[in-house]
Amino acid sequence: MSAAPPAWGVQYTLSLPSEDAARAAAAELSGMGHRLTAVRVHDHFRFVPSSFWYGRPSTDPELEGWWQVFSLAVYSGYERMALEPFCRSERIRVAHVAHAHGGFQQGYSEGHAATLEGVFTRDGLVHEQAGADVALPCPLPKDRARPPAGPPWKCSEVGEPAAVVQAVVAVAERMYGSEEDAPDAVKWLLDEEFAFAEPYGSTGDFLGDLADAVAHQGTCTDATVGAVPFLMELVCDDEVAPGSRLVLLGDLLRLAASGPAAEVSLADRIAALGGAWEESAADYLTRRAIGSELPKLLSRWEDESDAVRFALAALTALCGTRDQRALPGLAALPAPAGSPRADVVSLVAALLSDDREGLVSALNGLASWSPRVAEKAAGPNLDVQSLGLAVLPDLVLEDVASGIVATTPVPASSRREAPASR
């Protein structure tokens, strides 16, 4: 007989506007079967003389005077993957507890229950139920089966690493001439040390480094704005392998959606604080820069593959661009009714045509088979257009990924020659 899987733990963190609200929320979580629940003033350790944080400025001054709840829930008897649908419903349920008491769910962390219980900070502990597990339904809920995918896209190879590096560097040299004149996110490509460094083992590694240089960990900055024309030129360059062009187009999709994604992520916090959403300057300027360069990509519409057209239509929607090709072009894409792709196409069409009713319908369709969309849509403070824009890049990229194939690497001795050809 196989051993039972180790108990799984989730520590939830809630932020509440007062101590009374925090204690009420903590009592509710304890009533849901949580094993340990503590209540502490926000930035508690700033007021503990023995703490490293004692007397230091708040890391989140907006929450000065607020209170936090830390609560450990334990789920036993199943592997983590089997628990996912139930854990998702629990995240939504805990978020509703926070909303009901005027606050928001600030985050959560997961791990083996024994580990999380061992490191749980007991300062401010208000409820302890030794050995308690959250009651699980029997049988556990399961996600709805995903509908059959749409027809496969024409496969596009990403290209040999050395060849892709060479093509990208050639574009940088053509646009900027030298490292000194290149934007910050591009300078490294023109550095002499890069030219003679060890070659990349895979094209994906190189494209990942390029994406991180443009927007470190996906965060838009002034450097991101300056690099947009370069990314656009790469997507238009026929010397860059088709699959790599599609990957770069995916990077542009995520950059264009960075503002709406942040708005959706922070919606509950903003509502609890009584504020209004303000997009960061870098997110706004990045999207505007992409939109200003977009006509260059759309001018190639007739020459592009269906997968690229799909991504281009989504990028057009994200940038709020009005173009006569994108909306009618969607109808020609292979997206049979009832397929996940058809729901994504409906979302793009609703965004392009400012059809709010169609947008709600498309999001409902997506939520019926996409757990990620369903969880995001469960928030009570969301703007539906922002939600549609926020979820669009991952939906598109998840679909077109099936048409992107890696090139079998050639021996390292052959790959080493490409950078020196600069």
Side-chain angles (χ1 to χ4, degrees):
M1 181 179 294
S2 59
W8 195 252
V10 180
Q11 179 178 300
Y12 301 94
T13 303
L14 278 57
S15 290
L16 287 305
S18 67
E19 182 179 3
D20 286 346
R23 288 183 176 276
E28 198 166 338
L29 295 179
S30 181
M32 290 163 53
H34 290 205
R35 186 174 293 185
L36 297 169
T37 310
V39 170
R40 299 192 288 271
V41 68
H42 178 71
D43 278 346
H44 158 76
F45 289 106
R46 291 174 55 218
F47 308 104
V48 178
S50 61
S51 170
F52 169 81
W53 297 104
Y54 180 67
R56 292 175 179 265
S58 173
T59 56
D60 196 346
E62 270 197 320
L63 296 181
E64 190 78 44
W66 278 54
W67 286 71
Q68 291 178 300
V69 175
F70 303 88
S71 196
L72 176 64
V74 176
Y75 310 95
S76 299
Y78 296 89
E79 296 287 352
R80 173 63 182 85
M81 290 305 294
L83 287 167
E84 175 52 29
F86 181 74
C87 284
R88 189 183 313 118
S89 68
E90 285 291 277
R91 292 194 293 268
I92 294 170
R93 188 181 177 196
V94 170
H96 283 319
V97 171
H99 301 154
H101 295 282
F104 61 97
Q105 181 174 279
Q106 195 166 4
Y108 64 93
S109 58
E110 301 189 28
H112 288 150
T115 301
L116 292 184
E117 186 168 10
V119 300
F120 190 91
T121 301
R122 292 173 174 256
D123 292 18
L125 190 70
V126 290
H127 299 285
E128 180 173 7
Q129 303 180 92
D133 288 357
V134 172
L136 297 173
C138 186
L140 283 177
K142 293 183 178 180
D143 288 326
R144 176 187 168 186
R146 186 186 178 98
W153 302 107
K154 178 183 177 182
C155 288
S156 301
E157 290 194 346
V158 296
E160 175 63 28
V164 174
V165 171
Q166 186 175 14
V168 169
V169 170
V171 172
E173 290 178 330
R174 184 172 72 242
M175 291 183 69
Y176 307 112
S178 67
E179 179 186 350
E180 290 74 21
D181 297 325
D184 290 343
V186 182
K187 289 182 184 296
W188 63 288
L189 295 169
L190 300 174
D191 183 85
E192 187 171 320
E193 289 186 10
F194 173 76
F196 295 100
E198 286 295 316
Y200 278 90
S202 77
T203 302
D205 288 344
F206 170 64
L207 294 176
D209 282 355
L210 180 57
D212 197 50
V214 170
H216 181 57
Q217 296 183 345
T219 302
C220 292
T221 64
D222 291 344
T224 309
V225 180
V228 165
F230 177 64
L231 291 181
M232 287 291 195
E233 193 66 25
L234 292 179
V235 175
C236 290
D237 194 282
D238 291 329
E239 295 301 313
V240 178
S244 289
R245 292 178 55 233
L246 194 49
V247 171
L248 292 164
L249 189 52
D251 293 337
L252 289 167
L253 283 168
R254 288 200 171 99
L255 294 177
S258 56
E263 180 181 358
V264 168
S265 175
L266 296 172
D268 289 347
R269 174 192 170 108
I270 292 167
L273 288 167
W277 166 248
E278 292 185 13
E279 186 176 29
S280 76
D283 286 341
Y284 168 75
L285 292 173
T286 296
R287 187 174 63 256
R288 192 173 74 169
I290 294 171
S292 68
E293 297 276 341
L294 194 50
K296 182 189 303 184
L297 297 186
L298 292 170
S299 68
R300 300 166 52 98
W301 182 276
E302 297 301 329
D303 301 321
E304 298 289 6
S305 67
D306 281 342
V308 171
R309 289 174 187 168
F310 185 34
L312 275 178
L315 189 60
T316 305
L318 284 164
C319 293
T321 303
R322 296 291 170 260
D323 186 273
Q324 61 182 359
R325 286 159 287 213
L327 188 55
L330 283 173
L333 295 176
S339 68
R341 188 179 302 161
D343 287 333
V344 182
V345 166
S346 295
L347 174 61
V348 177
L351 290 168
L352 284 170
S353 55
D354 290 327
D355 177 4
R356 184 178 178 83
E357 185 176 336
L359 177 58
V360 172
S361 176
L363 287 169
N364 286 338
L366 290 162
S368 71
W369 56 262
S370 171
R372 184 172 60 250
V373 175
E375 184 171 0
K376 288 182 181 296
N381 301 303
L382 293 173
D383 173 78
V384 290
Q385 183 172 17
S386 296
L387 175 61
L389 295 170
V391 301
L392 182 55
D394 283 346
L395 292 168
V396 172
L397 296 177
E398 184 180 73
D399 192 312
V400 302
S402 62
I404 301 174
V405 294
T407 303
T408 303
V410 298
S413 58
S414 299
R415 285 188 267 121
R416 186 179 290 275
E417 298 173 3
S421 66
R422 293 178 56 235

